Each structure stands twice: as structure tokens, then as C-alpha cells.
Amino acid sequence: MAQSKRGSTAKRRQSGGRAKAPLEEYRRKRDFEKTREPAGGATKSRRRGLQFVIQKHAASSLHYDLRLELDGVMKSWAVPKGPSLDPSVKRLAMQVEDHPIEYNTFEGTIPQGEYGGGTVMLWDRGTYVPDEPKKGEDAASAVRRGLASGKLSFTFDGERLNGSFALVRTERGEKPKWLLIKHRDDTASEDAEITDVVQTSVASGRTMEEIAAENERVWRSDRGGEAGGEEAGKAPAQAAAGMIAPMRPKPAESVPSKGKWTAEPWRGGERVLAYVTGDTAVLMDERGRDVTKRHRSIADELVSLAKRVKRPFVLDGEIADGDEKSGSGASRGSGRAAKSGRATTAADDRAVLHAADLLLDGDDVLMEEPWTDRRSALETLFRRRRLKEVAIQPVSDDSKAMLRRAEKQGWPGILARKRDASYEPGTRSDALLRVAVH
């Protein structure tokens, strides 16, 4: 009888040392009379093999959620710094409550005030297999055994992560602590951190900022029911009165070979539209929020330019590092902010507005004009006028060379514009593509 009891206890602890029923802790933390997150059920995977997802999650703090399918739920770990391809780097992974499999396709926002409220990106997805199954042991049994023992070696077959990794438990308790470690194999790399380089969704190609701005999907469930999923959220906020909604890029794998296109850097900075007169400048981000106070010195420099040219104008651009010199006289920066994917603020002396498009020039509305005409007008606006914190975005007809430059500089990727296309406010246009560095 004692042996049978020990066997029963071991069975209850096979899910990484936990005796609780699947989703018990998940449900305990959520009041389903208030939250619309899914209560979840023992949903079977639609993929062949055990699936995994990694979600980038901006809640109370930015982290990555690693989820491994097992027994109809997703075993979950919060990894503050995300996965690394460098075998010498050991990443803390805090085991958290099991999640429903329905979460695996979710990308969008969890309403603020609810548990885990914030923006969620689907950063990677695929399948995984345990590395060390015993003879005659199926994959799920090998995973259970590895989690129970405190060491699970497994191989990812994902869209971004591949090769062998290990989860090693270092501390038991209510929230066991583990280390996520990359094994040495042909997928290991000691180069730039993949989480710094890859800043877009594997599903939609959007950045965290775009997901938050568009708010297209909010995690919902039927109140009091088991079924859960995604539903359309509120439509993106319209531009404020008198403001222009920015044209948004479409994710693409490459620049089309047919047609005339031009390529430019995408630094992973802060997208802004600048409304400038000789008296004032207002900088609006892509969510329609006034961010002028954060970039006061850039705004002041734009006002100075408007006074010199004696006309108002509206620019579309990106605030990031001043990482190369241009005709505007912007200084060269170190590239650190671009590599981290963060927007550089005005407090950072490397902050530069990289002007990419001119939408209004004096009394001329240029949005219906082809990009080549808008570019010509932009160059005329800045001609022989040296500015410290505003630069014209460099462009090239060679998209492959620009992609190589992006990889060297640590940018997330490039933007490609169709030369004969007009500016389409508020749309995700086929004439503006975003190609990520892979």
C-alpha cells in the first residue's frame, strides 16, 4: 500500500512538481464574473506533435511567456529576458500557472485592470520534442518525467527558434524557478541577442506598439462558459480633428522584384507625424497621442526650420538613433537604442527624427502625389539647412544592400516604398512594406 501511495503522489506531481489539477491555479487567479478571459478546457492541439508558443507580454513588466503543450494545457514559464541562442547565457524562467491551449493563437490586448493586462505578441510558434525519451516511451511521458525530475531537454522546431534547449529547475515552491539554457549545436549563436533583433510578431509582422495601437484583438470568453477565444476589439482610434492617420506598412518577406521600389532603414524607433508651423510643432505618435513634450528639442528645431522656409509643413518619420550622417547634418550615434528596439527620447542626445515623407508643404497637399514627387519636395525642404536632431531618411534602390546594412547596424529591418504610389492615410498599404531581418 505504501508503494501504491508513493506512485499516486508521483503521478500527481508529474507536471513539473505540481499536484494541482490542470488550470486550477489559472482559474483561481481570475474572477470570471469580472474578467472575460477564457476559463479554458482540456482542448486538444490542432498541430501534429506537441506545440509550443512564445509570447512577448508587456504587462506590469515586459517579459516573454514560454508555453509547452502537455496533457491538454500549456505548461508556462515567465522568462524576463526571453530566450537566448548563446549557450553561455542562462535565462531565469519562473514557472507560472498552466494556461489553456486557446491562448496559443492570441495576439492583442488583455484589458487593463484584469490579471496580466497589457499587450501580447505572438513572438514564435511551432512544435517541440523531448531529447531523451526512454525506450518505448512516448513524447508526453518523456516530458512529464523530465519536468518531474527537474531537467527537461527538448528541441524546438519553430519559425524563429530551432535546436536543443534545456529547462533546469533550481528552486521548488509555489513558483518554481528554472533556467532556460541553449544547448551547443548548429543553431547556437553568440551574436546579437535574438530578442533584440526580432521585434515583430511571427503571425502579423506587427511591433508591440502597432498591436497596442490597433487593438484589433482582445482576449475574451463567454461569461460563465468554458469556450474562449479572440474577438474583434475596438477599431483603431481615428486621428484627432485636423490630424492625418499615418499610412501603416504591410509585413513582407522581401521587396517585390517587379515594379520600382526604394528601400530605407527601419530602426525600431517611435513613429511620429510632425505638424509644424513657424510658431509651434506638434508630434503625434501612431496611436494619435501627443508626444511633443518627450521630444521638445526636436520640436523646437522643426519650428526653427519652418521659420527659415517661411511655410508650414507636415512630416512623417521615425525618432531613433542618429546612426549616420545625412544632408541634414545629423550626428552619428552608437546604434544602441536601435538594437534594443526602444524609442530614443529627447533626453537622449542621440535622438533624431528621421524624416521619411512630406505630406503637406505650405499650401500644397502632397498625399495624392507619387512618392518620388514627395521625396523631391522633402529634399528641397531640407536643402543646405543643417539640423542637429532632424535628418532625411536615406534611401536606396538596392533593397538587398539595405537589408545587409540593417543587419550590420542592428536595425530590425527595412521599409520599402513603391515609387509611383500615393500616401494612403490610415490604411495598411501594399505600397509600403516592412521587411524584417531574419
Side-chain angles (χ1 to χ4, degrees):
M1 291 297 291
Q3 184 176 0
S4 175
K5 185 176 181 180
R6 285 196 301 270
S8 176
T9 301
K11 185 175 181 180
R12 290 197 306 270
R13 290 179 178 173
Q14 280 178 339
S15 298
R18 293 186 166 199
K20 293 182 179 179
L23 303 183
E24 178 182 338
E25 183 71 5
Y26 172 85
R27 290 173 178 141
R28 184 187 68 79
K29 291 183 175 182
R30 293 160 174 84
D31 182 350
F32 292 102
E33 292 299 317
K34 296 179 180 179
T35 179
R36 294 183 179 181
E37 292 178 89
T43 306
K44 292 183 179 180
S45 170
R46 295 180 181 178
R47 292 174 178 258
R48 290 185 177 181
L50 297 172
Q51 65 175 302
F52 84 90
V53 295
I54 297 178
Q55 288 163 313
K56 189 174 181 179
H57 189 179
S60 57
S61 61
L62 182 66
H63 63 278
Y64 292 76
D65 292 313
L66 166 63
R67 310 195 195 282
L68 303 178
E69 180 191 359
L70 183 65
D71 297 329
V73 297
M74 301 303 292
K75 299 295 178 184
S76 298
W77 291 261
V79 185
K81 294 185 178 181
S84 175
L85 300 182
D86 186 346
S88 68
V89 174
K90 297 176 175 62
R91 289 286 161 83
L92 174 66
M94 301 289 292
Q95 190 171 2
V96 297
E97 68 274 11
D98 299 340
H99 277 56
I101 285 182
E102 294 100 315
Y103 252 109
N104 289 5
T105 59
F106 174 58
E107 176 173 290
T109 57
I110 300 170
Q112 292 297 330
E114 297 185 6
Y115 184 82
T119 303
V120 178
M121 171 195 287
L122 188 56
W123 189 84
D124 198 14
R125 60 189 174 189
T127 58
Y128 79 101
V129 294
D131 288 345
E132 302 169 345
K134 293 183 177 180
K135 186 177 180 180
E137 188 177 43
D138 62 26
S141 296
V143 173
R144 290 189 206 104
R145 177 173 52 80
L147 292 178
S149 69
K151 182 181 179 182
L152 173 65
S153 295
F154 55 93
T155 295
F156 281 135
D157 183 11
E159 297 185 40
R160 287 169 173 166
L161 292 184
N162 290 277
S164 182
F165 287 75
L167 277 166
V168 179
R169 188 171 58 225
T170 60
E171 186 176 318
R172 295 179 180 270
E174 282 299 311
K175 287 189 175 181
K177 293 181 181 179
W178 300 67
L179 295 176
L180 178 63
I181 306 168
K182 179 74 181 79
H183 283 149
R184 293 192 181 277
D185 57 20
D186 58 5
T187 64
S189 174
E190 296 180 0
D191 296 335
E193 291 290 352
I194 189 170
T195 51
D196 288 343
V197 174
V198 179
Q199 296 282 333
T200 56
S201 162
V202 72
S204 67
R206 297 182 296 177
T207 62
M208 292 290 278
E209 291 76 15
E210 287 176 323
I211 294 169
E214 294 177 23
N215 194 26
E216 290 175 349
R217 292 167 131 182
V218 177
W219 195 239
R220 300 297 189 199
S221 71
D222 296 331
R223 288 182 181 272
E226 294 290 304
E230 298 159 271
E231 67 176 24
K234 296 179 181 178
Q238 299 298 313
M243 301 296 183
I244 301 167
M247 181 168 74
R248 302 194 300 276
K250 272 192 174 179
E253 290 298 317
S254 62
V255 178
S257 57
K258 293 183 179 180
K260 295 182 177 179
W261 294 80
T262 184
E264 64 192 58
W266 167 43
R267 299 171 179 80
E270 184 174 13
R271 174 86 177 276
V272 297
L273 265 63
Y275 301 83
V276 188
T277 71
D279 298 317
T280 188
V282 177
L283 306 181
M284 304 291 288
D285 71 7
E286 56 191 344
R287 299 182 67 180
R289 299 174 301 187
D290 188 338
V291 296
T292 312
K293 288 183 179 179
R294 288 214 311 269
H295 307 292
R296 175 57 61 190
S297 58
I298 291 175
D300 291 344
E301 196 163 60
L302 289 170
V303 170
S304 176
L305 176 60
K307 288 179 178 178
R308 278 186 275 171
V309 299
K310 295 181 172 58
R311 61 183 185 274
F313 54 85
V314 176
L315 296 172
D316 185 349
E318 177 186 26
I319 296 178
D321 273 5
D323 44 20
E324 71 279 313
K325 292 183 179 180
S326 72
S328 69
S331 61
R332 184 180 298 271
S334 68
R336 282 179 291 177
K339 289 181 181 179
S340 69
R342 67 174 174 85
T344 312
T345 67
D348 189 322
D349 61 6
R350 297 186 307 275
V352 171
L353 170 60
H354 301 271
D357 214 336
L358 183 62
L359 311 185
L360 279 75
D361 188 18
D363 294 330
D364 296 328
V365 179
L366 305 179
M367 289 181 287
E368 294 297 323
E369 303 298 325
W371 177 86
T372 50
D373 290 356
R374 301 198 308 274
R375 176 70 186 192
S376 178
L378 179 66
E379 292 174 352
T380 299
L381 179 67
F382 283 89
R383 183 177 297 159
R384 294 187 299 275
R385 298 180 177 97
R386 297 183 63 81
L387 303 173
K388 293 181 180 179
E389 297 183 70
V390 183
I392 296 179
Q393 182 79 295
V395 296
S396 171
D397 293 335
D398 190 340
S399 59
K400 291 183 179 178
M402 187 62 77
L403 268 172
R404 289 194 297 270
R405 181 179 178 184
E407 187 171 10
K408 182 178 179 181
Q409 293 277 61
W411 301 330
I414 65 171
L415 296 175
R417 298 178 189 269
K418 200 169 185 180
R419 287 177 167 273
D420 60 359
S422 61
Y423 190 93
E424 303 173 50
T427 65
R428 192 176 290 280
S429 174
D430 290 324
L432 179 61
L433 305 179
R434 184 177 59 218
V435 182
V437 172
H438 297 293

